[in-house]
Amino acid sequence: PGNCWAFKGHQGQVVIRLPARVYLTAITVQHITKDASPSGTINSAPKDIAVFVSLLGTSGGALALGGDREEETLLGMFSYNVEKDPTQTFTLKNMLFPRAFSQVKLIVKSNWGNPRYTCIYRVKVHGK
């Protein structure tokens, strides 16, 4: 507990570079339980999450974090539920774009009420 990837505020994003090109099928997000939290609260857990891939990055190029030229595709929007299991897996909608990707962008749009920071303990990217 407390050893997490934390970012300021209730919104943030991370781009994960995969070791190989992957046909993405799901993403897993993990946080600690309320019982394991030293403060007794887990309001720093992510709540609303979006997962994107870059169609322009399919040839192995870098996934741009800004700019007008980047063409990103949403593979799913999910809500991490602090009342459920601390490890939650969400199925991605890669059926519309049946190709492998070398990077994935995870955007946390909100957390469970902590105004100062948001914590993520583990993200797993699943695929073939």
Side-chain angles (χ1 to χ4, degrees):
N3 189 14
C4 68
W5 173 64
F7 54 87
K8 187 176 180 177
H10 64 278
Q11 295 181 331
Q13 65 183 22
V14 62
V15 175
I16 301 167
R17 181 169 298 173
L18 305 171
R21 293 171 58 79
V22 177
Y23 177 85
L24 303 169
T25 58
I27 194 156
T28 296
V29 177
Q30 182 177 347
H31 198 271
I32 60 172
T33 63
K34 190 182 282 189
D35 293 339
S37 173
S39 67
T41 178
I42 51 174
N43 65 357
S44 67
K47 184 176 182 183
D48 295 312
I49 301 167
V51 178
F52 288 88
V53 290
S54 168
L55 294 181
L56 297 180
T58 56
S59 62
L63 179 65
L65 294 179
D68 298 338
R69 296 181 5 237
E70 188 62 39
E71 184 181 339
E72 292 182 343
T73 299
L74 177 68
L75 292 187
M77 291 185 66
F78 314 103
S79 287
Y80 180 88
N81 188 336
V82 293
E83 300 298 325
K84 293 185 177 180
D85 190 87
T87 303
Q88 297 174 29
T89 301
F90 307 100
T91 303
L92 298 174
K93 300 174 192 163
N94 202 9
M95 306 305 192
L96 300 174
F97 300 95
R99 60 180 98 167
F101 296 96
S102 58
Q103 299 179 73
V104 62
K105 182 191 283 187
L106 183 81
I107 299 177
V108 176
K109 295 181 170 260
S110 65
N111 68 19
W112 283 90
N114 190 318
R116 295 190 349 248
Y117 63 91
T118 301
C119 276
I120 295 178
Y121 281 84
R122 180 171 289 152
V123 173
K124 294 180 186 177
V125 178
H126 306 273
K128 301 174 184 175

